[in-house]
Amino acid sequence: MATTSDIKKGLCIRYNHDIFKIIEFLHVKPGKGPAFVRTKLKSVTSGKVIDNTFSAGHKIEDVRVETRSYQYLYPEGDTFHFMNTEDYNQITLQKDALDSPDLLKEGEIVTIIFNAEDNSPLSVEMPSHVILEVTHTEPGVKGNTATNATKPATVETGARINVPLFINEGDKIKIDTEKGAYTERIKE
């Protein structure tokens, strides 16, 4: 058993007869009254996100997990195929197990979290940033850069990202997978 002081991002807990992964948390100590922890929990079975508040010192049941590296192979409908980088075993996961499946490029290495009790996959952790090529975007208008203007662009995985006006087709860009946002252009 853990307490609210053990709460951290990525921790898997058992709550309301389901397993949830903590995606956000904030320890709050108001001037009046007891402290509490405000959390955002994502169900690893349904993908549903809920907000919950735990009072300070509340006992939570954590789930023992193991992490393993897998390589993303290919999509097939709503399922995604992955291969273990150590023993080459393959597994398939549903699309809702991934946080941002539209940013996943074939051959990408991801970390899959498994429940240590029954060896079932719980969730997929993407790398913090991915580098993708822009396949389609409108040309930028010269001289229109006084503000932080952006335009939509389609990358090689099919995802649509807002990028600055100076980005052109064929450019490689670095994308933050957590926010799904443009970070920088990669020079080669």
Side-chain angles (χ1 to χ4, degrees):
M1 281 294 216
T3 64
T4 52
S5 61
D6 300 320
I7 287 179
K8 62 182 186 284
K9 187 176 175 186
L11 178 73
C12 291
I13 63 171
R14 197 174 306 277
Y15 177 73
N16 279 357
H17 311 293
D18 197 1
I19 297 176
F20 288 89
K21 180 179 171 185
I22 296 173
I23 53 177
E24 277 181 32
F25 74 97
L26 178 67
H27 288 277
V28 180
K29 176 75 175 100
K32 192 173 176 184
F36 57 90
V37 180
R38 192 174 289 137
T39 60
K40 194 171 274 193
L41 307 170
K42 180 178 182 181
S43 170
V44 294
T45 54
S46 67
K48 186 176 163 187
V49 176
I50 62 168
D51 292 320
N52 190 42
T53 303
F54 294 104
S55 57
H58 183 83
K59 299 274 188 231
I60 53 175
E61 185 180 348
D62 57 336
V63 178
R64 208 167 62 87
V65 295
E66 295 175 358
T67 58
R68 299 181 198 139
S69 291
Y70 276 76
Q71 182 179 18
Y72 171 59
L73 297 176
Y74 59 92
E76 187 175 20
D78 272 352
T79 60
F80 287 75
H81 295 263
F82 296 90
M83 178 183 66
N84 190 323
T85 56
E86 292 173 11
D87 61 9
Y88 306 110
N89 286 335
Q90 292 186 19
I91 63 167
T92 57
L93 295 175
Q94 292 300 315
K95 187 176 189 173
D96 58 3
L98 288 90
D99 292 332
S100 46
D102 52 346
L103 296 176
L104 199 55
K105 185 168 93 171
E106 293 176 5
E108 194 77 48
I109 302 295
V110 298
T111 303
I112 300 182
I113 299 171
F114 287 87
N115 185 343
E117 296 167 10
D118 59 3
N119 210 27
S120 62
L122 297 177
S123 70
V124 177
E125 285 187 356
M126 297 271 295
S128 62
H129 293 87
V130 291
I131 296 171
L132 298 172
E133 186 176 329
V134 176
T135 56
H136 176 75
T137 187
E138 299 297 323
V141 180
K142 195 169 186 152
N144 191 9
T145 56
T147 62
N148 288 339
T150 60
K151 61 183 179 179
T154 306
V155 293
E156 60 187 296
T157 60
R160 294 183 58 80
I161 305 287
N162 283 332
V163 297
L165 296 176
F166 59 82
I167 299 293
N168 298 312
E169 289 182 14
D171 286 352
K172 291 196 182 297
I173 59 173
K174 189 176 191 179
I175 301 168
D176 182 345
T177 56
E178 193 173 312
K179 298 176 186 146
Y182 165 88
T183 306
E184 63 181 316
R185 177 169 56 177
I186 304 296
K187 300 267 190 197
E188 295 173 342

